[in-house]
Amino acid sequence: QVQLVESGGGLVQAGGSLRLSCAASGRTFSSYSMGWFRQAPGKEREFVAGVSLRGAITYYGDPVKGRFTISRDNAKNTGYLQMNSLTPEDTAVYYCAAARVFGRPWTSKECDYWGQGTQVTVSS
């Protein structure tokens, strides 16, 4: 019983930064691992980053390591994705998701809830 709403997407130039937010409903958000996935047209949905229940452990997909930072604030029922040094290859719809997977990274198929997505476009 988690509803997720992403925000913060938009158009940025290569090398720029953007911060995405994921607002969750209710009090159950803290019972789920939270992650970000992205999907470009014609491509598979790709794992971007994940964070454990209390924010202590983070995981990143190889393309974004060192550039993106995932975090969460359970008191605010909100997750975040800070994206720096953006490139045109980061252009995609970004989705927030919740999963009851603990102690390891997870795939999109393991996610129970999804937000509607927010478009990120990086110009060259």
Side-chain angles (χ1 to χ4, degrees), residues 13-107:
Q13 291 184 294
S17 298
L18 207 61
R19 190 180 77 157
L20 306 183
S21 296
C22 174
S25 67
R27 298 182 179 181
T28 60
F29 180 60
S30 62
S31 298
Y32 291 81
S33 298
M34 188 272 289
W36 292 90
F37 294 77
R38 67 187 184 185
Q39 188 164 24
K43 296 184 178 180
E44 297 286 330
R45 189 164 297 190
E46 176 186 38
F47 176 79
V48 176
V51 62
S52 61
L53 269 57
R54 296 191 293 183
I57 308 297
T58 57
Y59 310 95
Y60 296 96
D62 287 339
V64 309
K65 287 180 179 177
R67 300 189 297 121
F68 291 10
T69 302
I70 188 172
S71 62
R72 67 191 297 167
D73 186 341
N74 289 342
K76 298 181 179 179
N77 276 0
T78 303
Y80 305 95
L81 183 69
Q82 178 67 46
M83 305 185 293
N84 299 327
S85 301
L86 287 163
T87 75
E89 288 68 43
D90 296 315
T91 295
V93 177
Y94 283 71
Y95 298 91
C96 179
R100 293 192 62 81
V101 177
F102 313 107
R104 62 172 175 84
W106 57 95
T107 69

